[in-house]
Short mmCIF file of all heavy atoms in Angstrom, two decimals:
data_model
loop_
_atom_site.label_atom_id
_atom_site.label_comp_id
_atom_site.label_asym_id
_atom_site.label_seq_id
_atom_site.Cartn_x
_atom_site.Cartn_y
_atom_site.Cartn_z
N ALA A 1321 -17.10 -55.30 55.85
CA ALA A 1321 -17.73 -55.85 54.65
C ALA A 1321 -16.72 -55.97 53.52
O ALA A 1321 -16.69 -56.97 52.78
CB ALA A 1321 -18.91 -54.96 54.22
N LEU A 1322 -15.86 -54.96 53.38
CA LEU A 1322 -14.82 -54.98 52.34
C LEU A 1322 -13.81 -56.09 52.61
O LEU A 1322 -13.34 -56.76 51.68
CB LEU A 1322 -14.12 -53.63 52.29
CG LEU A 1322 -13.27 -53.34 51.04
CD1 LEU A 1322 -14.14 -53.33 49.80
CD2 LEU A 1322 -12.54 -52.01 51.20
N SER A 1323 -13.47 -56.30 53.86
CA SER A 1323 -12.54 -57.38 54.23
C SER A 1323 -13.11 -58.74 53.83
O SER A 1323 -12.39 -59.60 53.31
CB SER A 1323 -12.26 -57.34 55.72
OG SER A 1323 -11.49 -58.44 56.13
N ALA A 1324 -14.40 -58.94 54.08
CA ALA A 1324 -15.04 -60.21 53.69
C ALA A 1324 -15.05 -60.38 52.18
O ALA A 1324 -14.81 -61.47 51.66
CB ALA A 1324 -16.47 -60.26 54.25
N PHE A 1325 -15.30 -59.30 51.48
CA PHE A 1325 -15.40 -59.36 50.01
C PHE A 1325 -14.07 -59.73 49.38
O PHE A 1325 -14.01 -60.46 48.39
CB PHE A 1325 -15.90 -58.02 49.46
CG PHE A 1325 -16.13 -58.03 47.98
CD1 PHE A 1325 -17.27 -58.61 47.45
CD2 PHE A 1325 -15.21 -57.48 47.11
CE1 PHE A 1325 -17.49 -58.63 46.08
CE2 PHE A 1325 -15.41 -57.48 45.74
CZ PHE A 1325 -16.57 -58.06 45.22
N TYR A 1326 -12.97 -59.25 49.92
CA TYR A 1326 -11.64 -59.51 49.35
C TYR A 1326 -10.91 -60.65 50.05
O TYR A 1326 -9.69 -60.74 49.96
CB TYR A 1326 -10.80 -58.24 49.41
CG TYR A 1326 -11.17 -57.24 48.35
CD1 TYR A 1326 -11.90 -56.09 48.68
CD2 TYR A 1326 -10.82 -57.43 47.02
CE1 TYR A 1326 -12.26 -55.17 47.70
CE2 TYR A 1326 -11.18 -56.52 46.05
CZ TYR A 1326 -11.90 -55.40 46.39
OH TYR A 1326 -12.25 -54.49 45.42
N SER A 1327 -11.65 -61.53 50.71
CA SER A 1327 -11.02 -62.68 51.36
C SER A 1327 -10.44 -63.63 50.32
O SER A 1327 -10.76 -63.53 49.14
CB SER A 1327 -12.04 -63.39 52.24
OG SER A 1327 -13.16 -63.79 51.47
N PRO A 1328 -9.57 -64.57 50.73
CA PRO A 1328 -8.81 -65.39 49.76
C PRO A 1328 -9.67 -66.17 48.78
O PRO A 1328 -10.85 -66.45 49.03
CB PRO A 1328 -8.02 -66.34 50.67
CG PRO A 1328 -7.89 -65.62 51.96
CD PRO A 1328 -9.17 -64.84 52.11
N LEU A 1329 -9.03 -66.58 47.68
CA LEU A 1329 -9.73 -67.26 46.59
C LEU A 1329 -10.16 -68.68 46.95
O LEU A 1329 -10.93 -69.27 46.21
CB LEU A 1329 -8.83 -67.30 45.35
CG LEU A 1329 -8.52 -65.94 44.71
CD1 LEU A 1329 -7.56 -66.11 43.54
CD2 LEU A 1329 -9.80 -65.26 44.24
N PHE A 1330 -9.63 -69.24 48.07
CA PHE A 1330 -10.06 -70.60 48.41
C PHE A 1330 -11.51 -70.63 48.89
O PHE A 1330 -12.10 -71.68 49.05
CB PHE A 1330 -9.14 -71.25 49.46
CG PHE A 1330 -9.03 -70.53 50.77
CD1 PHE A 1330 -10.10 -70.46 51.65
CD2 PHE A 1330 -7.85 -69.91 51.14
CE1 PHE A 1330 -10.00 -69.80 52.86
CE2 PHE A 1330 -7.72 -69.26 52.35
CZ PHE A 1330 -8.80 -69.20 53.22
N ASN A 1331 -12.09 -69.46 49.14
CA ASN A 1331 -13.50 -69.41 49.54
C ASN A 1331 -14.41 -69.63 48.35
O ASN A 1331 -14.05 -69.36 47.20
CB ASN A 1331 -13.82 -68.04 50.15
CG ASN A 1331 -13.20 -67.85 51.51
OD1 ASN A 1331 -13.51 -68.60 52.43
ND2 ASN A 1331 -12.31 -66.89 51.64
N ASP A 1332 -15.60 -70.12 48.64
CA ASP A 1332 -16.66 -70.12 47.65
C ASP A 1332 -17.04 -68.66 47.39
O ASP A 1332 -17.35 -67.93 48.34
CB ASP A 1332 -17.86 -70.90 48.19
CG ASP A 1332 -19.06 -70.87 47.25
OD1 ASP A 1332 -18.94 -70.32 46.15
OD2 ASP A 1332 -20.11 -71.39 47.65
N PRO A 1333 -17.00 -68.18 46.15
CA PRO A 1333 -17.32 -66.77 45.87
C PRO A 1333 -18.68 -66.35 46.40
O PRO A 1333 -18.87 -65.20 46.81
CB PRO A 1333 -17.26 -66.69 44.35
CG PRO A 1333 -16.39 -67.82 43.92
CD PRO A 1333 -16.63 -68.91 44.92
N ARG A 1334 -19.62 -67.28 46.42
CA ARG A 1334 -20.97 -66.94 46.88
C ARG A 1334 -20.99 -66.70 48.38
O ARG A 1334 -21.78 -65.91 48.89
CB ARG A 1334 -21.94 -68.04 46.48
CG ARG A 1334 -22.10 -68.16 44.97
CD ARG A 1334 -22.63 -69.52 44.56
NE ARG A 1334 -22.59 -69.67 43.12
CZ ARG A 1334 -21.51 -70.07 42.43
NH1 ARG A 1334 -20.39 -70.36 43.08
NH2 ARG A 1334 -21.53 -70.19 41.12
N ALA A 1335 -20.11 -67.40 49.10
CA ALA A 1335 -20.02 -67.17 50.55
C ALA A 1335 -19.48 -65.78 50.83
O ALA A 1335 -20.00 -65.06 51.69
CB ALA A 1335 -19.13 -68.23 51.19
N THR A 1336 -18.43 -65.38 50.11
CA THR A 1336 -17.84 -64.05 50.35
C THR A 1336 -18.82 -62.95 49.96
O THR A 1336 -18.94 -61.95 50.67
CB THR A 1336 -16.54 -63.89 49.54
OG1 THR A 1336 -16.81 -64.04 48.15
CG2 THR A 1336 -15.52 -64.93 49.95
N ILE A 1337 -19.53 -63.13 48.84
CA ILE A 1337 -20.49 -62.12 48.41
C ILE A 1337 -21.64 -62.00 49.42
O ILE A 1337 -22.05 -60.91 49.80
CB ILE A 1337 -21.03 -62.45 47.00
CG1 ILE A 1337 -19.91 -62.29 45.96
CG2 ILE A 1337 -22.21 -61.55 46.65
CD1 ILE A 1337 -20.30 -62.78 44.58
N ALA A 1338 -22.15 -63.16 49.87
CA ALA A 1338 -23.29 -63.14 50.80
C ALA A 1338 -22.90 -62.52 52.13
O ALA A 1338 -23.62 -61.67 52.67
CB ALA A 1338 -23.81 -64.57 51.00
N LEU A 1339 -21.76 -62.92 52.68
CA LEU A 1339 -21.35 -62.39 53.98
C LEU A 1339 -20.98 -60.91 53.89
O LEU A 1339 -21.33 -60.13 54.78
CB LEU A 1339 -20.18 -63.19 54.54
CG LEU A 1339 -20.51 -64.60 55.03
CD1 LEU A 1339 -19.27 -65.33 55.50
CD2 LEU A 1339 -21.54 -64.56 56.15
N SER A 1340 -20.28 -60.52 52.82
CA SER A 1340 -19.93 -59.10 52.68
C SER A 1340 -21.19 -58.26 52.45
O SER A 1340 -21.30 -57.15 52.99
CB SER A 1340 -18.94 -58.90 51.53
OG SER A 1340 -19.48 -59.33 50.30
N ALA A 1341 -22.16 -58.79 51.68
CA ALA A 1341 -23.41 -58.06 51.47
C ALA A 1341 -24.21 -57.95 52.77
O ALA A 1341 -24.81 -56.91 53.06
CB ALA A 1341 -24.25 -58.76 50.40
N ALA A 1342 -24.21 -59.03 53.57
CA ALA A 1342 -24.92 -59.00 54.85
C ALA A 1342 -24.35 -57.91 55.76
O ALA A 1342 -25.09 -57.09 56.32
CB ALA A 1342 -24.81 -60.36 55.53
N ILE A 1343 -23.02 -57.89 55.88
CA ILE A 1343 -22.38 -56.87 56.72
C ILE A 1343 -22.61 -55.48 56.13
O ILE A 1343 -22.86 -54.51 56.86
CB ILE A 1343 -20.87 -57.17 56.85
CG1 ILE A 1343 -20.66 -58.52 57.54
CG2 ILE A 1343 -20.17 -56.06 57.64
CD1 ILE A 1343 -19.22 -58.99 57.55
N GLY A 1344 -22.56 -55.40 54.80
CA GLY A 1344 -22.79 -54.11 54.14
C GLY A 1344 -24.19 -53.57 54.39
O GLY A 1344 -24.36 -52.38 54.67
N PHE A 1345 -25.20 -54.43 54.30
CA PHE A 1345 -26.57 -53.98 54.55
C PHE A 1345 -26.75 -53.57 56.01
O PHE A 1345 -27.47 -52.61 56.31
CB PHE A 1345 -27.57 -55.06 54.17
CG PHE A 1345 -27.97 -55.03 52.72
CD1 PHE A 1345 -27.60 -56.06 51.86
CD2 PHE A 1345 -28.71 -53.97 52.20
CE1 PHE A 1345 -27.96 -56.03 50.52
CE2 PHE A 1345 -29.07 -53.94 50.87
CZ PHE A 1345 -28.69 -54.96 50.02
N TRP A 1346 -26.10 -54.31 56.92
CA TRP A 1346 -26.20 -53.90 58.33
C TRP A 1346 -25.56 -52.51 58.50
O TRP A 1346 -26.10 -51.67 59.23
CB TRP A 1346 -25.49 -54.91 59.22
CG TRP A 1346 -25.71 -54.62 60.68
CD1 TRP A 1346 -26.70 -55.10 61.48
CD2 TRP A 1346 -24.94 -53.72 61.50
NE1 TRP A 1346 -26.60 -54.57 62.75
CE2 TRP A 1346 -25.53 -53.72 62.79
CE3 TRP A 1346 -23.82 -52.92 61.28
CZ2 TRP A 1346 -25.02 -52.96 63.83
CZ3 TRP A 1346 -23.32 -52.15 62.32
CH2 TRP A 1346 -23.91 -52.18 63.58
N ALA A 1347 -24.43 -52.28 57.84
CA ALA A 1347 -23.76 -50.98 57.92
C ALA A 1347 -24.64 -49.87 57.34
O ALA A 1347 -24.67 -48.75 57.87
CB ALA A 1347 -22.42 -51.04 57.19
N ILE A 1348 -25.37 -50.19 56.27
CA ILE A 1348 -26.29 -49.20 55.69
C ILE A 1348 -27.39 -48.85 56.69
O ILE A 1348 -27.72 -47.68 56.91
CB ILE A 1348 -26.89 -49.73 54.37
CG1 ILE A 1348 -25.81 -49.81 53.29
CG2 ILE A 1348 -28.06 -48.85 53.91
CD1 ILE A 1348 -26.25 -50.52 52.03
N GLY A 1349 -27.98 -49.89 57.31
CA GLY A 1349 -29.02 -49.63 58.31
C GLY A 1349 -28.50 -48.83 59.47
O GLY A 1349 -29.18 -47.91 59.97
N SER A 1350 -27.29 -49.15 59.92
CA SER A 1350 -26.68 -48.41 61.04
C SER A 1350 -26.41 -46.96 60.65
O SER A 1350 -26.64 -46.04 61.46
CB SER A 1350 -25.38 -49.09 61.45
OG SER A 1350 -24.69 -48.34 62.42
N THR A 1351 -25.94 -46.75 59.42
CA THR A 1351 -25.65 -45.38 58.96
C THR A 1351 -26.92 -44.54 58.90
O THR A 1351 -26.94 -43.38 59.34
CB THR A 1351 -24.98 -45.42 57.58
OG1 THR A 1351 -23.78 -46.21 57.66
CG2 THR A 1351 -24.64 -44.02 57.09
N ILE A 1352 -28.00 -45.13 58.38
CA ILE A 1352 -29.27 -44.40 58.30
C ILE A 1352 -29.77 -44.06 59.70
O ILE A 1352 -30.23 -42.93 59.97
CB ILE A 1352 -30.32 -45.22 57.52
CG1 ILE A 1352 -29.87 -45.41 56.07
CG2 ILE A 1352 -31.69 -44.55 57.57
CD1 ILE A 1352 -30.75 -46.36 55.28
N SER A 1353 -29.68 -45.04 60.61
CA SER A 1353 -30.14 -44.81 61.98
C SER A 1353 -29.32 -43.71 62.66
O SER A 1353 -29.88 -42.83 63.33
CB SER A 1353 -30.04 -46.12 62.78
OG SER A 1353 -30.43 -45.92 64.11
N SER A 1354 -27.98 -43.76 62.46
CA SER A 1354 -27.12 -42.73 63.05
C SER A 1354 -27.39 -41.36 62.43
O SER A 1354 -27.42 -40.33 63.14
CB SER A 1354 -25.65 -43.10 62.85
OG SER A 1354 -25.36 -44.35 63.43
N TRP A 1355 -27.59 -41.33 61.13
CA TRP A 1355 -27.89 -40.07 60.43
C TRP A 1355 -29.15 -39.42 61.00
O TRP A 1355 -29.19 -38.22 61.28
CB TRP A 1355 -28.04 -40.34 58.93
CG TRP A 1355 -28.42 -39.12 58.14
CD1 TRP A 1355 -29.68 -38.61 57.95
CD2 TRP A 1355 -27.54 -38.26 57.42
NE1 TRP A 1355 -29.64 -37.50 57.17
CE2 TRP A 1355 -28.33 -37.25 56.82
CE3 TRP A 1355 -26.17 -38.23 57.22
CZ2 TRP A 1355 -27.79 -36.24 56.04
CZ3 TRP A 1355 -25.62 -37.23 56.44
CH2 TRP A 1355 -26.44 -36.24 55.87
N ASN A 1356 -30.18 -40.22 61.14
CA ASN A 1356 -31.45 -39.69 61.65
C ASN A 1356 -31.34 -39.21 63.09
O ASN A 1356 -32.14 -38.39 63.54
CB ASN A 1356 -32.55 -40.76 61.53
CG ASN A 1356 -32.96 -40.99 60.10
OD1 ASN A 1356 -32.68 -40.17 59.21
ND2 ASN A 1356 -33.62 -42.12 59.84
N SER A 1357 -30.35 -39.73 63.83
CA SER A 1357 -30.16 -39.29 65.22
C SER A 1357 -29.44 -37.96 65.31
O SER A 1357 -29.60 -37.24 66.31
CB SER A 1357 -29.36 -40.36 65.99
OG SER A 1357 -30.05 -41.58 66.03
N PHE A 1358 -28.66 -37.62 64.27
CA PHE A 1358 -27.86 -36.39 64.31
C PHE A 1358 -28.42 -35.27 63.43
O PHE A 1358 -28.29 -34.10 63.76
CB PHE A 1358 -26.42 -36.68 63.87
CG PHE A 1358 -25.58 -37.35 64.92
CD1 PHE A 1358 -25.27 -38.70 64.80
CD2 PHE A 1358 -25.11 -36.65 66.01
CE1 PHE A 1358 -24.49 -39.33 65.75
CE2 PHE A 1358 -24.32 -37.28 66.97
CZ PHE A 1358 -24.02 -38.63 66.84
N MET A 1359 -29.02 -35.64 62.31
CA MET A 1359 -29.36 -34.65 61.29
C MET A 1359 -30.84 -34.27 61.33
O MET A 1359 -31.70 -35.09 61.67
CB MET A 1359 -29.00 -35.20 59.90
CG MET A 1359 -27.54 -35.58 59.76
SD MET A 1359 -26.46 -34.15 60.00
CE MET A 1359 -24.84 -34.90 59.73
N ASP A 1360 -31.10 -33.04 60.92
CA ASP A 1360 -32.48 -32.58 60.82
C ASP A 1360 -33.17 -33.21 59.62
O ASP A 1360 -34.37 -33.53 59.68
CB ASP A 1360 -32.51 -31.05 60.69
CG ASP A 1360 -32.01 -30.37 61.97
OD1 ASP A 1360 -32.19 -30.97 63.05
OD2 ASP A 1360 -31.44 -29.27 61.86
N PHE A 1361 -32.41 -33.35 58.51
CA PHE A 1361 -32.98 -34.00 57.33
C PHE A 1361 -33.04 -35.51 57.59
O PHE A 1361 -32.03 -36.17 57.76
CB PHE A 1361 -32.13 -33.71 56.10
CG PHE A 1361 -32.57 -34.46 54.87
CD1 PHE A 1361 -33.71 -34.11 54.18
CD2 PHE A 1361 -31.84 -35.56 54.43
CE1 PHE A 1361 -34.13 -34.82 53.07
CE2 PHE A 1361 -32.23 -36.27 53.31
CZ PHE A 1361 -33.38 -35.90 52.63
#
C-alpha cells in the first residue's frame, strides 16, 4: 500500500490514493482476521 502511495508523480493522484487505500483496507481486514486467529482478545 505504501509503495502504491509513493508511486511517481506522472500518476493521477486519485489513482494512487485509491489503489493504496484499497490495498491498505485489505491489509487491515487481513490483520484483524489474523489477530482473531491468534489472540484471546
Side-chain angles (χ1 to χ4, degrees):
L1322 195 62
S1323 174
F1325 184 78
Y1326 283 105
S1327 57
L1329 294 177
F1330 59 69
N1331 288 299
D1332 176 5
R1334 295 159 188 84
T1336 60
I1337 292 172
L1339 288 178
S1340 60
I1343 298 172
F1345 273 113
W1346 187 91
I1348 291 171
S1350 174
T1351 303
I1352 296 172
S1353 178
S1354 301
W1355 177 277
N1356 288 343
S1357 298
F1358 283 106
M1359 303 298 182
D1360 294 331
F1361 174 74

